[in-house]
Amino acid sequence: METLLIYNDDLSNKFWKIHVSGNTFTITYGKIGTSGSVKTKKFETKEDCKKESEKLIKTKIKKGYKFSQSSQLVVKESSMTEALFWELLKKCKLKGEYAEEQIEWLITHLSKKSIKDIVKFDYIFNTYYKTSYTSELWAAAYIILGGCSDDCFDYFRAWVLYLGKKEYETAINDPQTLLPYLQQLNGYDDIPQLEELISVAILAYEEKTGLDDESYYDIYSQLTNDSHDNPDIDLDWDEDDEEQLRSMFPLLWDVYGENPLT
């Protein structure tokens, strides 16, 4: 359930919107034509949530707010696009010699944007991130790293995504195209993993609001109807069958089969 109210007088031109889902509601409020501020609240039961939301709506109406049938031109949606998402990852690489410095810049940059933009960035990231959760890419990571746990595969996929849109999409179709980027690794960045990228949006939100990750997950769920969970997959390869792995990715096996990166 979603209710949008607006208030206009000689001094104010603002909106107030509440979105109720289960035992949680999210309130967006601010000047008309902006993204506004966002906050969320969770209750013990759906009934408590509904009761409190109805109370808040009545309070706003008593203060002079009016119902609005459409949010068009009232609430500005996120300005974060897929093109901007990939452009930020590209720009990020210019902000330091090491990945940690680059990610720190990205966190700070995102923290200056609206909460909606932070969430949308994370949603775009998660969409591509989940797409990379495949049996084939996991097999490739297993060869490259000489074994690959769940967490290890998460960090590996983040590294693949950080390479860029074209590189990412090519690698999903054929993991062996990662070979040139793997061979460029040396010194500090000698392992193809980037755990820090996974939590960029959460840290940007915490830096912006001072609130914790639980608050962020509530807002993320409310605004996107998505979760951070990986999809279910069945591995169609056997980690103990070296011949099978070799036949799947002969180029990767020739380089890393006997000499993995870890």
Side-chain angles (χ1 to χ4, degrees), residues 23 30 60 64 76 92 122 124 136 140-141 145 149 156 166 177 231:
N23 65 335
K60 289 295 180 182
K76 180 182 178 182
C92 184
D122 202 20
I124 295 170
E136 291 76 15
L145 298 168
S149 66
F156 177 80
K166 181 180 178 181
T177 60

Side-chain angles (χ1 to χ4, degrees), residues 54-71:
E54 291 174 346
K55 178 181 176 181
L56 290 173
I57 292 171
K58 289 178 181 179
T59 299
K60 289 295 180 182
I61 291 175
K62 286 182 178 180
K63 291 182 177 180
Y65 279 79
K66 305 294 184 181
F67 287 99
S68 176
Q69 299 301 318
S70 173
S71 63

Side-chain angles (χ1 to χ4, degrees), residues 40 47 52 56 68 71 80 99 102 104 123 139 145 149 165 170 175 179 182 206-207 258 260-261:
T40 189
E47 290 73 22
E52 180 65 18
L56 290 173
S68 176
S71 63
M80 183 64 62
Q102 298 165 11
E104 186 59 38
Y123 178 76
L145 298 168
S149 66
K165 188 173 189 292
T170 303
L179 191 55
L182 292 165
E206 292 179 350
E207 187 171 311
E258 301 299 328
L261 291 177

Side-chain angles (χ1 to χ4, degrees), residues 202-215:
I202 297 173
L203 294 175
Y205 173 82
E206 292 179 350
E207 187 171 311
K208 182 178 185 67
T209 66
L211 300 175
D212 59 17
D213 58 353
E214 182 177 354
S215 172

